[in-house]
Amino acid sequence: MLRKEILALLALFCLALCPAYTGSPLKDQTRAAEEAFRLIYNLKFSQAREALMDPALDEAQREVLYADLLWWEAVAGSGEKKFNTFLDALDRRSRTTAFWNSPEGRVTYHTYQVRAKLSLNDYFGAMPNYYSLRKAVDALRVTGPDRVGTTDAFLSNFKDALSLLESNRLTSVLGLGSSTEAELLRRLEQQSASADLITSALNHYFLWKYYAGPGKDEAGKNLHARALHQLFPSNRFFNPGGNTSPHNQLTNN
């Protein structure tokens, strides 16, 4: 069984499935997804909701981005029950379309469930979602090569991030050493330099919070915080000095 501190480390896990749908050969879909994503991460929520109505977005894009919108509304909100409100909203949304029963949908759902429950310090509640997330990732790996866009490439990126987090506490179990950790970080750093806005932003976001962990790299934390601030200057959580925002302890979300 995963210990409390292992699940706490997973609170840093921030990658969503958006990059899986930005590799579409349809340029209007890519533009529409990036526009909605940019509005969400700049905390312009009402404008983001309008952007998510763009018919250029397919169902998967719209649902993943909508989940991210709900998440950021919770993070930027106030009140003790904001993450419970998020979980209720996510459950309602997960009953709206067939997407949520797909491998991508299950990964998306359980990722946000883990993040929200850890933000509530509900470690026991997060564990079943974590194991379900692992199963969903494996299911997506099986179907990934037959899918369009960058699903397969993103899945590798997703698994790199999850393996990196787990290696901090489960080195002996997973057989991961410092050389493996360095290689995983190298690949994630490469993805942060992607020309694709969403891929770049999510990798910067993950690396920022990873380096902000106990005993991590201050210079790396500052580097990725500055990159996020440049991409999303209206997001008050991305402190250009590299320090975490006092609002809602974002590094725990």
Side-chain angles (χ1 to χ4, degrees):
M1 179 178 290
L2 294 179
R3 294 181 300 173
K4 175 178 176 179
E5 58 265 30
I6 301 170
L7 283 172
L9 185 62
L10 288 175
L12 298 178
F13 190 62
C14 63
L15 295 179
L17 270 179
C18 291
Y21 310 110
T22 60
S24 168
L26 302 178
K27 292 183 179 180
D28 58 337
Q29 283 192 327
T30 301
R31 285 196 298 268
E34 288 193 353
E35 174 61 18
F37 184 87
R38 194 184 301 277
L39 289 167
I40 291 168
Y41 275 70
N42 273 308
L43 309 185
K44 299 183 184 298
F45 301 135
S46 60
Q47 292 171 259
R49 286 178 179 273
E50 293 181 12
L52 288 175
M53 298 174 65
D54 191 326
L57 293 171
D58 61 28
E59 181 178 292
Q61 287 176 313
R62 182 173 291 105
E63 293 306 309
V64 172
L65 287 164
Y66 197 92
D68 217 28
L69 170 62
L70 292 175
W71 173 255
W72 274 101
E73 286 180 329
V75 170
S78 60
E80 296 180 358
K81 296 183 178 181
K82 63 182 182 179
F83 290 112
N84 285 317
T85 300
F86 165 79
L87 287 169
D88 290 342
L90 182 65
D91 278 335
R92 288 195 300 272
R93 190 71 185 185
S94 71
R95 295 190 290 269
T96 60
T97 67
F99 162 77
W100 294 99
N101 292 320
S102 69
E104 294 93 341
R106 301 318 294 167
V107 170
T108 304
Y109 178 81
H110 290 297
T111 294
Y112 282 107
Q113 285 278 326
V114 168
R115 293 171 68 185
K117 289 178 180 178
L118 291 175
S119 295
L120 292 166
N121 295 318
D122 182 8
Y123 299 100
F124 287 110
M127 281 193 290
N129 290 113
Y130 169 72
Y131 290 123
S132 294
L133 169 61
R134 266 304 193 179
K135 290 176 63 176
V137 168
D138 288 339
L140 185 56
R141 178 178 57 80
V142 172
T143 58
D146 297 326
R147 294 174 183 273
V148 298
T150 59
T151 302
D152 195 41
F154 173 70
L155 177 61
S156 176
N157 188 218
F158 188 104
K159 290 174 72 68
D160 281 350
L162 199 54
S163 295
L164 180 62
L165 293 180
E166 291 172 335
S167 73
N168 282 265
R169 293 293 187 272
L170 295 175
T171 300
S172 60
V173 175
L174 298 176
L176 297 173
S178 58
S179 60
T180 303
E181 181 178 0
E183 174 60 20
L184 291 170
L185 281 169
R186 185 189 66 80
R187 292 206 292 259
L188 291 164
E189 292 280 3
Q190 285 181 331
Q191 288 295 315
S192 73
S194 171
D196 179 271
L197 170 67
I198 298 176
T199 299
S200 175
L202 291 177
N203 279 275
H204 278 303
Y205 189 8
F206 172 82
L207 289 164
W208 169 50
K209 294 200 288 184
Y210 179 80
Y211 286 132
K216 296 302 181 183
D217 186 338
E218 187 74 14
K221 181 186 73 171
N222 292 342
L223 173 68
H224 293 288
R226 287 193 294 271
L228 288 165
H229 178 69
Q230 290 174 354
L231 288 171
F232 310 108
S234 296
N235 190 318
R236 66 180 183 271
F237 296 98
F238 299 146
N239 188 309
N243 297 318
T244 57
S245 168
H247 298 281
N248 306 307
Q249 298 179 314
L250 183 58
T251 50
N252 290 328
N253 301 318

